[in-house]
Amino acid sequence: MMIRAEDIDLADGSGAPRSALARALTLVENARAGAAELLAALAPRRGRAQVVGVTGAPGAGKSTLINALLGEWLRRGRRIAVVAIDPSSPITGGALLGDRLRMGEHGGDERVFIRSLSSRGHLGGLSRTTGEVVDVFDAAGFDVVVVETVGVGQSEVDVRALADTNLVVCAPGLGDDVQAVKAGILETADIFVVNKGDSPLASRAVLDLQQNAGLRHDERGPVPVLLTVATSGEGVAELADHIDAHARLSGVGRRIRAAASGAAVATDAELFQQVRRWRAEGKGVALATVVRTWGSSPRPEGSHLAIDEHGAFVGSVSGGCIEGAVIGEAQSVIADGQPRVLEFGVSDEQAWEVGLACGGRVQVFLERIG
Ligand SMILES: Nc1nc2c(ncn2[C@@H]2O[C@H](COP(=O)(O)OP(=O)(O)OP(=O)(O)O)[C@@H](O)[C@H]2O)c(=O)[nH]1
Ligand SMILES: [Mg+2]
């Protein structure tokens, strides 16, 4: 049965659109016939929702924190959709079930819609259609769309392109988190959350992070570092305040504006400043440069993406679609020192996988620097 754009408007008051919404999501998620038409019809209604990315190591408490935020946002009269990316095998479904349980408290509320997506091995860690699922929720009238992903490796690549406000959740004692921050998550985080504030190690983690957060010297200033206890709700109202404030300051609909303008994510000066910082820290660094384009390539020749040995990155060689693949290859270049040329185009199977714009083709030169 056809789903029309007007079937999934929460604001029109014509009864519960939940089943229509669920069907629209399935259509879009699986890129079934009619998905493109529906998305086109919904496009003008997008751009109102605040997209909040929540990343962090497995077990940091992301889902529990989102559950607590749901309660706080409901008290503030918001409608909230949650997209939880399941990092595990779609076959076991274990993580999906766990997320339903941890966020289940508000799952029955009319104003909350929780959807789990499988990452399906997609490069970049997000399902190819995550952005479209976000578009559907935005157009349907949700005020906030939360996207939860595990922030290891490349998954934050796509979240950065998608979210208006990026939360990085750390838990004291998980060790890697502070390392990850040092490795460059700093550039992508808008708010750091130290969760499990009931742990004796928490205040130390806050201090560590504040020191690191203070190192960011661009116009955005230091990243706020907040302490929460997701299980009790402590610190969650303050976190919600910061998320609101970030929307007022930086706006919403970033993914739509970026797609429309092809705006660069960092100037060359910012990029090479980060490269110098990485090299001063003794890290291996690779530079990717767009050397040739054909058709509708999202970035012009000369665009750069710099990557460190841990996969932290700054800059862009695409609209976010091929970065995952380039970052993976860059780490090999750092390891073996061999420069190489990568090519992505719509006729390649790989390009299809990563969703390069139709008709576009781009050649990227990768070299180790330093
Ligand atoms: N003591 C304490 N435990 C917490 C807190 N927040 C979450 N937990 C517990 O930590 C465990 C992991 O929480 P989740 O919310 O599933 O963590 P997650 O980051 O979503 O995990 P993945 O989705 O698997 O990556 C659960 O047992 C939670 O009950 C907290 O503030 N304090
Ligand atoms: Mg989770």
Side-chain angles (χ1 to χ4, degrees), residues 46-107:
R46 300 170 308 160
R48 225 182 47 81
Q50 181 183 12
V51 182
V52 178
V54 179
T55 62
K62 299 180 292 296
S63 301
T64 314
L65 189 65
I66 291 167
N67 181 58
L69 278 167
L70 287 174
E72 183 59 33
W73 279 324
L74 285 172
R75 275 190 286 282
R76 298 181 186 200
R78 311 275 165 79
R79 288 173 295 207
I80 316 104
V82 181
V83 185
I85 314 294
D86 165 22
S88 67
S89 151
I91 300 157
T92 70
L96 267 112
L97 185 63
D99 274 342
R100 280 208 203 102
L101 290 176
R102 277 188 278 283
M103 291 191 262
E105 192 186 327
H106 305 288

Side-chain angles (χ1 to χ4, degrees), residues 324-345:
V326 174
I327 288 166
E329 196 63 22
Q331 289 179 285
S332 311
V333 169
I334 293 169
D336 67 20
Q338 296 297 315
R340 53 202 87 172
V341 174
L342 310 176
E343 203 172 302
F344 300 89

Side-chain angles (χ1 to χ4, degrees), residues 178-187 212 215 274-287 306-313 330-331 334-335 368-370:
V178 174
Q179 253 351 87
V181 168
K182 287 178 186 155
I185 286 179
L186 204 53
E187 298 305 313
N212 281 288
L215 294 176
Q274 180 61 48
V275 166
R276 280 193 294 278
R277 233 176 277 147
W278 282 331
R279 294 188 56 192
E281 291 164 16
K283 289 189 180 127
V285 181
L287 185 71
I307 306 99
D308 87 352
E309 62 195 46
H310 302 293
F313 62 90
Q331 289 179 285
I334 293 169
R368 186 169 75 187
I369 48 178

